[in-house]
Amino acid sequence: MTQANLPEYDYDVVIIGGGPAGYTAGIYAARAALKTLLIEGAGTVSQITITDMIENYPGIPDGIGGFELMQLFKKQAQKFGLEVLPKDVTVVKKSPAAQVLWEVTAGDKVYKTLSIIAATGAMWRNLDVPGETEFVGRGVSYCATCDGPFYRNRDVIVVGGGDTAVQEALFLTHFAKKVIVIHRRDRLRAAGMLQKRAFAEKKIEFVWNAAITEITGTEFVTGVKVKDVNTGVIREMAADGAFIFVGRLPYTEMFQGLVEMDKTGFIITDEHLRTNAAGIFAAGDCRSKLFRQVVTAAGDGANAVHSAELYIDDVKGQTY
Ligand code: NAP
């Protein structure tokens, strides 16, 4: 059957999200001559644009600022004619007009598309204490892989007791002189194997039943104020950096009820980045996966387009 048999639609693929996954998908889709629209949030702050320095994106040996790298992604996508819409998506739903179409509402318009790539990203959960926002990039970090190497022979604090906190604390021992894990309870949430490794690591110290009340510093972080949750006593602890790993939240609300998600709301995909809804693919940090980096998001973007392309070819070859 030919394309003429398909109901009317606006795009082969609508990419939702303007971070590394979204723009990589945009580059691949536009270059593959798929009719593509990338919708990026009008006011959403993406994690990469507030990342001070990215040293581990291949091909850029001197490192690059997150904002600057994102501008280069965009420039490359524009070169291939990617259509970009700076609007917030409010609704994603199956089109009542045809089973094979999805409808994406952004602003006052509805876009009909054969496929969607969800690249909406995630944001780390904040501690919400004084000093946290102020010192982001100047001692406060949410990524040990990104910022750990800046803390060679220094003392750092890690906040949290989950898998991420413990795994990243272990990673930070490769650089830091001392890693102090501050946790609000008297036991870790992290998997037993990670706990065992952390307890055996001489560079890691634990402060239990403790809540950070403030991150202190002048130009850079110099320490934290920590409250003993049992006694209420607050003490100051010196540190050169504070790594906060108290969970991460995906921007996936618009896909609730449409695709399968894990308990935190990250979208579950197969290895080809297909969700359980035919025609919806997910890429980057909004996807349920272990390693969230610019390079893995970019890889996801490329893979999602490849899978979408196969899907679109298949759909265009069917009868409706
Ligand atoms: P998480 O499991 O939700 O753990 C968050 C940690 O932060 C908990 O220890 C929690 O304390 C603490 N916390 C939350 N809010 C806090 C606050 N306001 N103040 C102080 N502490 C706070 O998040 P995650 O560690 O990022 O892991 C997310 C998911 O990814 C999990 O399913 C995890 O298993 C998975 N993951 C797996 C691996 C691996 O397999 N290698 C690695 C990383 C992540 P409480 O314990 O008291 O709740």
Side-chain angles (χ1 to χ4, degrees), residues 32-139:
L34 293 171
K35 192 152 191 295
T36 307
L37 175 68
L38 183 147
I39 307 177
E40 59 180 358
T44 323
V45 179
S46 105
Q47 292 171 99
I48 183 175
T49 54
I50 50 176
T51 303
D52 190 37
M53 177 57 82
I54 295 168
E55 278 191 319
N56 53 5
Y57 195 76
I60 307 178
D62 295 332
I64 186 167
F67 182 79
E68 205 183 338
L69 179 58
M70 212 49 246
Q71 294 308 109
L72 292 175
F73 273 68
K74 290 183 184 186
K75 190 172 166 194
Q76 196 166 351
Q78 275 156 6
K79 198 177 111 185
F80 296 115
L82 178 68
E83 195 181 332
V84 175
L85 178 72
K87 287 256 156 64
D88 290 324
V89 170
T90 48
V91 182
V92 177
K93 64 172 187 163
K94 186 118 256 179
S95 170
Q99 229 355 69
V100 75
L101 297 185
W102 292 97
E103 289 185 359
V104 178
T105 307
D108 54 1
K109 284 208 170 138
V110 177
Y111 303 91
K112 288 199 179 82
T113 179
L114 292 177
S115 68
I116 292 171
I117 295 176
T120 43
M123 193 49 105
W124 44 77
R125 196 181 269 149
N126 288 328
L127 263 185
D128 284 332
V129 295
E132 182 179 14
T133 315
E134 192 185 334
F135 289 112
V136 168
R138 294 187 293 131

Side-chain angles (χ1 to χ4, degrees), residues 19-22 24-25 47-48 54 56-58 69 73 118-119 143 145-146 248 269 271 273 282-304:
T24 304
Q47 292 171 99
I48 183 175
I54 295 168
N56 53 5
Y57 195 76
L69 179 58
F73 273 68
C143 177
T145 310
C146 316
R248 210 184 268 233
T269 66
E271 62 176 314
L273 308 196
D285 284 10
C286 69
R287 191 167 82 78
S288 183
K289 62 178 186 176
L290 280 182
F291 199 41
R292 295 189 169 86
Q293 292 285 291
V294 179
V295 72
T296 61
D300 274 8
N303 274 314

Side-chain angles (χ1 to χ4, degrees), residues 125-127 159-165 167 183-185 189 194 245-248 263 290:
R125 196 181 269 149
N126 288 328
L127 263 185
V159 190
D163 282 340
T164 305
Q167 196 163 7
H183 186 36
R184 63 183 178 183
R185 292 190 293 140
R189 175 182 295 280
L194 280 172
F245 303 114
V246 295
R248 210 184 268 233
K263 62 180 188 323
L290 280 182

Side-chain angles (χ1 to χ4, degrees), residues 225-295:
K225 287 186 182 166
V226 189
K227 183 167 91 175
D228 182 314
V229 297
N230 294 323
T231 63
V233 173
I234 295 178
R235 65 171 165 135
E236 290 197 32
M237 290 177 66
D240 303 299
F243 285 79
I244 298 166
F245 303 114
V246 295
R248 210 184 268 233
L249 301 170
Y251 293 116
T252 52
E253 224 170 277
M254 68 187 84
F255 298 104
Q256 280 288 350
L258 294 179
V259 299
E260 197 186 345
M261 296 178 183
D262 68 16
K263 62 180 188 323
T264 317
F266 289 98
I267 297 173
I268 294 173
T269 66
D270 66 8
E271 62 176 314
H272 303 298
L273 308 196
R274 296 177 293 207
T275 69
N276 65 329
I280 301 187
F281 305 82
D285 284 10
C286 69
R287 191 167 82 78
S288 183
K289 62 178 186 176
L290 280 182
F291 199 41
R292 295 189 169 86
Q293 292 285 291
V294 179
V295 72

Side-chain angles (χ1 to χ4, degrees), residues 127 131-132 135-144 147-148 150-159 172 176-182 212 214-217 219-226 237-245:
L127 263 185
E132 182 179 14
F135 289 112
V136 168
R138 294 187 293 131
V140 169
S141 172
Y142 302 85
C143 177
D147 298 329
F150 298 124
Y151 292 88
R152 263 173 224 285
N153 296 319
R154 299 185 162 215
D155 293 342
V156 296
I157 275 161
V158 163
V159 190
L172 284 167
K177 186 153 59 90
K178 188 162 67 178
V179 180
I180 305 156
V181 177
I182 299 180
I212 306 268
E214 189 179 339
I215 295 169
T216 54
E219 199 185 338
F220 290 93
V221 165
T222 53
V224 291
K225 287 186 182 166
V226 189
M237 290 177 66
D240 303 299
F243 285 79
I244 298 166
F245 303 114

